[in-house]
């Protein structure tokens, strides 16, 4: 029901995700209940309607079992979160390595480009010198004839 979902959201705000301790969270919720009293939606379906007919001890066992299941689900989510964090760190490391490799390759490309320009200029100078020498050879051949 909407009331239960609202209560669950309010309860989720009480959970400290950084330093999670079930005992601390339960004590925080108990303190809040002592200060503010029970919520209006006491007739929620956390304990089925048969719960009114069973004894307090059975209700406590039921709630403890529900709490254990919730703790197991939380542990599973925390484990999954840690796996995702590890994967995220791995991907960040790979990204950093890739960026460094990219930077190194960009420098190499830049050096090769400047060397290519240098060799083009040397080639043009050599061609001009070659043409000059060819003209000199032609002129000397004319002198010899």
């Amino acid at each position: 029901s909407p009331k239960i979902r609202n209560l669950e959201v309010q309860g989720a705000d009480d959970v400290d995700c950084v330093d999670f301790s079930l005992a601390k969270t339960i004590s925080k919720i108990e303190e809040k209940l002592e200060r503010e009293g029970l919520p209006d939606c006491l007739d929620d379906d956390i304990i089925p309607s048969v719960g009114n007919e069973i004894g307090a001890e059975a209700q406590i066992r039921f709630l403890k079992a529900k709490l254990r299941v919730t703790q197991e689900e939380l542990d599973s989510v925390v484990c999954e979160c840690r796996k995702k964090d590890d994967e995220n760190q791995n991907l960040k490391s790979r990204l950093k390595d890739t960026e460094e490799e990219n930077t190194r390759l960009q420098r190499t490309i830049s050096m090769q480009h400047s060397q290519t320009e240098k060799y083009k200029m040397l080639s043009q100078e050599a061609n001009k010198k070659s043409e000059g020498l060819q003209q000199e050879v032609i002129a000397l051949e004319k002198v010899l004839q």
Side-chain angles (χ1 to χ4, degrees):
S1 71
K3 288 182 181 179
I4 293 170
R5 287 190 189 99
N6 189 27
L7 180 63
E8 288 173 356
V9 170
Q10 289 173 352
D13 292 339
D14 296 331
V15 176
D16 183 8
C17 292
V18 175
D19 183 30
F20 180 76
S21 166
L22 189 58
K24 286 181 186 178
T25 304
I26 290 173
S27 66
K28 284 180 186 179
I29 294 172
E30 286 174 346
E31 288 172 10
K32 185 176 179 181
L33 285 174
E34 287 175 9
R35 282 191 313 255
E36 300 174 7
L38 291 174
D40 294 337
C41 61
L42 196 56
D43 293 334
D44 56 21
D45 62 350
I46 291 176
I47 298 179
S49 60
V50 181
N52 296 332
E53 299 170 9
I54 62 174
E57 195 171 311
Q59 287 181 358
I60 290 172
R61 282 196 313 270
F62 174 78
L63 290 174
K64 282 183 178 180
K66 188 165 183 75
L67 182 61
R68 264 193 309 276
V69 169
T70 304
Q71 181 64 44
E72 289 171 2
E73 290 173 353
L74 176 65
D75 291 344
S76 173
V77 169
V78 167
C79 181
E80 186 68 25
C81 186
R82 285 187 182 134
K83 286 180 185 176
K84 294 292 182 185
D85 284 343
D86 290 345
E87 182 180 349
N88 193 18
Q89 289 299 329
N90 184 22
L91 289 173
K92 282 181 181 180
S93 175
R94 287 178 51 197
L95 176 64
K96 182 180 175 186
D97 292 345
T98 303
E99 287 174 343
E100 289 172 357
E101 178 73 9
N102 187 28
T103 302
R104 187 184 65 76
L105 291 173
Q106 288 295 333
R107 279 191 301 240
T108 303
I109 289 171
S110 177
M111 282 180 16
Q112 289 176 346
H113 182 69
S114 64
Q115 285 178 345
T116 302
E117 291 298 319
K118 176 183 167 185
Y119 289 130
K120 279 183 183 178
M121 290 177 59
L122 289 173
S123 173
Q124 288 173 354
E125 288 175 12
N127 284 338
K128 285 180 184 177
K129 189 174 182 179
S130 173
E131 286 176 15
L133 289 173
Q134 282 178 350
Q135 288 178 359
E136 194 175 317
V137 166
I138 292 172
L140 289 172
E141 283 178 350
K142 285 182 183 179
V143 169
L144 286 174
Q145 286 178 356

